[in-house]
Amino acid sequence: MADISCENATDLLNGSLNMRAIAAQMELPPDPAGVEVVFNTFWYRLTPAGVDEVAGASLGPIEGPSFAPFAMRDASEDIRQLWLALADQVTHPAVRARCWDVAFTLKLLKNGRDTAEKAARAYLETIGTALGPRELAAGLLRGWTLARQVGLVDLEQEIAAAMIDVVEDVLARDEDPYGAIPLLGALIAPPPRGRSAAPVDPKVDRLLDQTLTAFPEVHVIEDVAVLVRKRAVDDLVRVERANRHLVGAMLAEADGETQPMLIRWLYSQAASRARSLGLTDLEKIAVAKLQAAPKLTWEATKYELNLPSALFDAYLPGFDTATDWRAALRIWLHPTEAPTSRYRDNRIIAKRSMQASAILNSVTTVVFRSDDLPARSLTAEERFNRELTNLESVRMGSAGVFLGNALFRIRARFGIPPRVELEEFLRSFGAAPSLVTPLATALQLYWVGEYDAAVHLAVPKIEAAVRALLMELNEPVFRTQTGDASGMFPGLGSLLPSLVDNGFDADWERFLRTFLLSDGSNVRNLIAHGFLDAIDPVNAALALQACAVMVLLTTDEAVARDSATVKAALANPTGPRSRRSLRKRVVAAVMAAWLELRRT
């Protein structure tokens, strides 16, 4: 039954699918348990090593946990005896190879060398059967691996000669490239430890070069180029030829694409690969094509929501009942929580979102710059951080609506505060005068609708305030000269961890990071490099809030504070959190639920 089921099968998996039908047609049906064992035996997989690994192939799974097929070492004694009995009785070389291979892997017989030879010779005899190129190549590679493991040098060379014939046949028929690539990896592999190297058949180099140009797929060329680099370590001309062919194929793939986003990503990949391989001329070509690629068309979905006044009151309690602009602005400067909300809660929600979405866990995520050029692809950890940042950005946007609306209400109810009075009010918090003045100016610019000017003035002062706080704590914030590099102050991204080490509130640190740095909206760098245009009142209000919170934590140079006092201020940037009423907590919970629902 095992022989018949594999007679015309292109691989053992197909053979297993034939088995139950054949068993049902037999006059004397075999034991169902035995059929199930053989069915599972065919499901063990031969796995060739990758091109950048040590050449060879393995049979598995050997150990559990594994449901289908069960791990070989979990097999009962009866099943092991059935494998040995089959090995002596079956005639199809693929089935015979599988049974002897299992027997060798599990050491079912004392003479392991003899068992390995029987398996390897059976794999060699699969040439000429109906097996497909990939299955045939995996079998030959496994036979070659077994022969090397037990020192059967003559058999190893015999299999190597057969490998060359198979590679030539695959190339002549223009078949599956992975019927050739694993075999080429074995043919150029160094000898086992302790054995002197034998000369490689000259045909192998010719076949390597032929395989490199035989298939247009970039991933195939990539794998063959790895083998060429392994083989031709001292032949720089040949290595460069392979590298150029690879980058050329990547450029050709991008040239043939029609989707603008994919075109940009492929040109970016080609430029990156050319750079890593030292092909500066091809890198320039790829970058030029990237810059000239078709424009991206981004689609945006607009949501409109009338936020209930109760939500506004939960975020800025008492604001609507303030009797003058000072009382209202004092409340604005001390919201109940950071605009990104609570960091700990956001991490929990983001983790649930990742676990619930197979797409988020499987697809490649590519980050594009503001100029529509692809920046990089993300790792699994970076994808989680991006999911977290997306959640924080949604919450931050809603908080920005509240903050901006509140500033509009101050202007509508009390008018724009006079400059002198505004500065005097902000100085009453004890902040550094050199930072209070630009903060007051930025607020007035916001009230007259100059949002771009307000943000360009406020954002740099956030970093200045952070630096001032760290210097007050006597933390090292200056990088001294190293070699030709001049001494300098590091950027905000390097300063925030030091602030956190001194007790800075995690929620507010996440707000600054998500709003200002490349982890999130990247407002700081976009402003510094002139990429941020037409700033809306929501983002302008968030910038003013970030600036105000950090500036008001600083102190007049004439006032000396000990480290404990500064750290206490950092731990509660807007003052101690007041306990919210049940009504306000319920409203805030509803808001959080709505935000999460909106994201889905």
Side-chain angles (χ1 to χ4, degrees), residues 12 57-58 69-71 267 287 309 395 399 487 505 563-564:
L12 289 185
S58 59
F70 55 82
Y267 281 137
V287 171
S309 59
R395 295 185 181 277
D505 184 87
S563 294

Side-chain angles (χ1 to χ4, degrees), residues 38-273:
V38 180
F39 178 87
N40 274 280
T41 302
F42 286 178
W43 279 69
Y44 294 121
R45 299 294 295 166
L46 290 173
T47 305
V51 292
D52 53 353
E53 300 173 332
V54 177
S58 59
L59 178 67
I62 299 175
E63 294 183 309
S66 178
F67 176 69
F70 55 82
M72 281 184 269
R73 285 185 179 156
D74 290 341
S76 66
E77 183 59 29
D78 286 345
I79 293 175
R80 295 175 184 228
Q81 291 304 315
L82 177 56
W83 280 330
L84 284 175
L86 276 173
D88 274 330
Q89 296 295 320
V90 292
T91 58
H92 192 289
V95 182
R96 198 155 25 94
R98 174 58 50 84
C99 293
W100 284 120
D101 199 346
V102 171
F104 172 78
T105 301
L106 295 181
K107 300 179 181 180
L108 300 182
L109 296 173
K110 291 183 179 180
N111 192 337
R113 192 170 191 269
D114 183 57
T115 306
E117 182 175 5
K118 289 179 179 179
R121 290 200 176 278
Y123 281 123
L124 183 59
E125 292 170 15
T126 58
I127 296 176
T129 63
L131 295 181
R134 193 172 299 208
E135 183 81 5
L136 180 62
L140 284 177
L141 188 59
R142 177 61 178 168
W144 176 85
T145 303
L146 294 173
R148 282 165 70 94
Q149 282 183 353
V150 298
L152 296 169
V153 179
D154 291 341
L155 180 56
E156 177 190 339
Q157 293 174 350
E158 188 178 347
I159 295 174
M163 286 179 173
I164 293 176
D165 294 337
V166 170
V167 172
E168 288 180 330
D169 189 58
V170 167
L171 294 176
R173 295 171 181 269
D174 194 22
E175 290 185 320
D176 185 350
Y178 289 95
I181 291 174
L183 302 183
L184 290 169
L187 291 168
I188 66 169
R193 183 177 299 176
R195 191 203 302 177
S196 58
V200 175
D201 192 317
K203 288 183 180 180
V204 174
D205 287 324
R206 174 179 59 79
L207 291 173
L208 260 178
D209 293 339
Q210 185 179 344
T211 307
L212 181 71
T213 58
F215 304 96
E217 296 88 351
V218 170
H219 69 277
V220 174
I221 298 172
E222 177 88 64
D223 284 348
V224 182
V226 171
L227 297 179
V228 172
R229 287 192 286 270
K230 276 187 175 182
R231 170 65 181 151
V233 175
D234 299 322
D235 190 344
L236 299 182
V237 173
R238 188 176 172 199
V239 169
E240 182 174 349
R241 185 167 62 244
N243 292 340
R244 287 186 171 276
H245 182 70
L246 169 61
V247 176
M250 297 176 77
L251 289 171
E253 183 182 28
D255 290 341
E257 186 52 59
T258 58
Q259 296 295 328
M261 185 174 291
L262 193 53
I263 289 172
R264 287 169 178 259
W265 171 241
L266 292 174
Y267 281 137
S268 174
Q269 290 292 92
S272 176
R273 184 54 51 86

Side-chain angles (χ1 to χ4, degrees), residues 1-7 15 19 22 38 42 86 90 92 95:
M1 182 183 64
D3 287 333
I4 295 172
S5 65
C6 292
E7 195 169 283
M19 184 166 296
I22 293 172
V38 180
F42 286 178
L86 276 173
V90 292
H92 192 289
V95 182

